[in-house]
Amino acid sequence: MGELNFFSGLQVKQTPKGTSICQQKYIRELLKRFDIEASKVIDTPIATATRLDMDETGSPVNQTMYRRIIGSLFYLTASRPDIVFIVGLCVRFQSNPKESHLKAAKKILRYLKGTQDLVLYYPSGYLVDRKSTSGMAHFLGSCLISWGTRKPNSVALSIAKLYM
């Protein structure tokens, strides 16, 4: 059967050191389909000050085109965790998209244009240690000011396992 190279739009590259997954080809096709190839690249998918809401007074846009863009971006989230938040935000406005929502979706495409080469990498030989990971995030208003994760020093056994 051979080595896995493509699976459902995902490009897969396997080496003895690990496996990488990306969707470069799919991104290039999206940029072409939605005529973003000549657009300027941006560094982030959304500015921190951007607020997307229902935009009651905004100009309506073609609902079908907006849904195509959002559906395509949603599919990309399988290999691009960096766009999950903003795509999830844009998905909320599919029933009545306005010009501001379309601009946000196109900004995501412009961001992807500059980051097509990002991949998910899974090193081989990774051993699961059965330790849970806990995390915390501290906010001041709506701004994240610190975060952290931690694994415990030991693993607790279930009391049910002790009596078996």
Side-chain angles (χ1 to χ4, degrees), residues 36-47:
I36 306 291
E37 294 172 304
S39 296
K40 191 172 142 185
V41 172
I42 58 174
D43 295 332
T44 58
I46 187 171

Side-chain angles (χ1 to χ4, degrees), residues 4-161:
L4 178 67
N5 291 318
F6 283 94
F7 177 74
S8 190
L10 298 170
Q11 293 167 256
V12 180
K13 184 175 182 183
Q14 298 172 316
T15 66
K17 292 185 177 186
T19 303
S20 62
I21 298 173
C22 70
Q23 289 181 296
Q24 278 180 316
K25 184 179 177 198
Y26 185 74
I27 293 171
R28 283 193 303 269
E29 290 170 2
L30 279 184
L31 297 174
K32 189 174 185 177
R33 184 182 323 148
F34 298 117
D35 199 29
I36 306 291
E37 294 172 304
S39 296
K40 191 172 142 185
V41 172
I42 58 174
D43 295 332
T44 58
I46 187 171
T48 54
T50 302
R51 301 254 184 230
L52 282 182
D53 56 18
M54 293 305 285
D55 194 9
E56 302 289 339
T57 61
S59 315
V61 294
N62 183 331
Q63 196 177 63
T64 305
M65 183 187 65
Y66 183 78
R67 286 181 176 178
R68 283 186 184 142
I69 293 172
I70 295 305
S72 300
L73 290 172
F74 195 72
Y75 180 73
L76 265 176
T77 61
S79 70
R80 295 296 300 262
D82 54 333
I83 63 168
V84 170
F85 174 77
I86 184 59
V87 172
L89 194 58
C90 289
V91 164
R92 298 176 188 178
F93 307 107
Q94 290 186 82
S95 63
N96 190 18
K98 304 292 184 173
E99 187 68 32
S100 60
H101 307 130
L102 182 61
K103 281 182 184 179
K106 286 188 175 183
K107 280 185 179 183
I108 301 168
L109 290 169
R110 289 175 47 208
Y111 166 74
L112 290 170
K113 180 181 177 187
T115 59
Q116 295 177 49
D117 56 343
L118 290 182
V119 299
L120 287 179
Y121 181 72
Y122 299 98
S124 58
Y126 179 74
L127 301 175
V128 178
D129 59 10
R130 293 186 179 195
K131 292 181 181 178
S132 61
T133 303
S134 60
M136 53 104 180
H138 297 276
F139 289 88
L140 182 59
S142 63
C143 298
L144 177 68
I145 57 172
S146 70
W147 62 274
T149 60
R150 181 174 173 250
K151 284 190 172 193
N153 294 330
S154 61
V155 178
L157 292 177
S158 168
I159 195 160
K161 290 183 180 178

